[in-house]
């Protein structure tokens, strides 16, 4: 089974938030990523952003991100608002060396 097929099967088997957290940890390890986040961003009828996420980032960083409302300025979140696609930070020009 390919990495992609295994990743999709792992996510499809998730029935709860805990399952998604476990799935993204497995996928992160499968690809050798440092961290991984599963993010869902939507806009309600009132144009107020609604989001849900699971992440492998440390709790301290996640708390800081939420406290400072980084969703508002995160360039990856901006990409998610335009469609559904995975985002590789290395491919973003402002973060590349």
């Amino acid at each position: 089974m390919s990495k992609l097929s295994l990743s999709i099967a792992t996510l499809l088997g998730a029935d709860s938030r805990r399952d998604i957290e476990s799935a993204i940890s497995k996928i992160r390890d499968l690809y050798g990523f440092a961290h991984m986040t599963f993010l869902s961003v939507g806009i309600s009828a009132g144009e107020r952003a609604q989001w849900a996420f699971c992440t492998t980032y440390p709790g301290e960083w996640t708390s800081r991100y939420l406290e400072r409302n980084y969703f508002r300025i995160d360039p990856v979140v901006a990409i998610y608002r335009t469609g559904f696609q995975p985002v590789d930070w290395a491919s973003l020009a402002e973060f590349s060396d």
Side-chain angles (χ1 to χ4, degrees), residues 39 41 65 70-82:
L39 174 65
V41 177
Y65 190 96
Y70 287 156
F71 278 108
R72 185 175 40 84
I73 61 170
D74 190 328
V76 174
V77 173
I79 291 169
Y80 274 107
R81 288 187 177 131
T82 64

Side-chain angles (χ1 to χ4, degrees), residues 4 36 76 79-80 83-89 91:
L4 178 59
M36 186 171 173
V76 174
I79 291 169
Y80 274 107
F84 175 79
Q85 58 189 326
V87 177
D88 177 2
W89 278 89
S91 70

Side-chain angles (χ1 to χ4, degrees), residues 20-88:
I20 293 173
E21 289 171 350
S22 177
I24 66 169
S25 290
K26 289 176 185 174
I27 296 167
R28 174 203 58 202
D29 294 344
L30 179 66
Y31 283 93
F33 297 148
H35 294 287
M36 186 171 173
T37 299
F38 180 88
L39 174 65
S40 174
V41 177
I43 301 295
S44 68
E47 295 298 317
R48 185 170 177 206
Q50 297 178 350
W51 44 265
F53 71 97
C54 294
T55 187
T56 64
Y57 281 96
E60 182 178 298
W61 169 245
T62 303
S63 294
R64 178 184 178 106
Y65 190 96
L66 294 172
E67 288 168 6
R68 298 198 176 188
N69 198 21
Y70 287 156
F71 278 108
R72 185 175 40 84
I73 61 170
D74 190 328
V76 174
V77 173
I79 291 169
Y80 274 107
R81 288 187 177 131
T82 64
F84 175 79
Q85 58 189 326
V87 177
D88 177 2

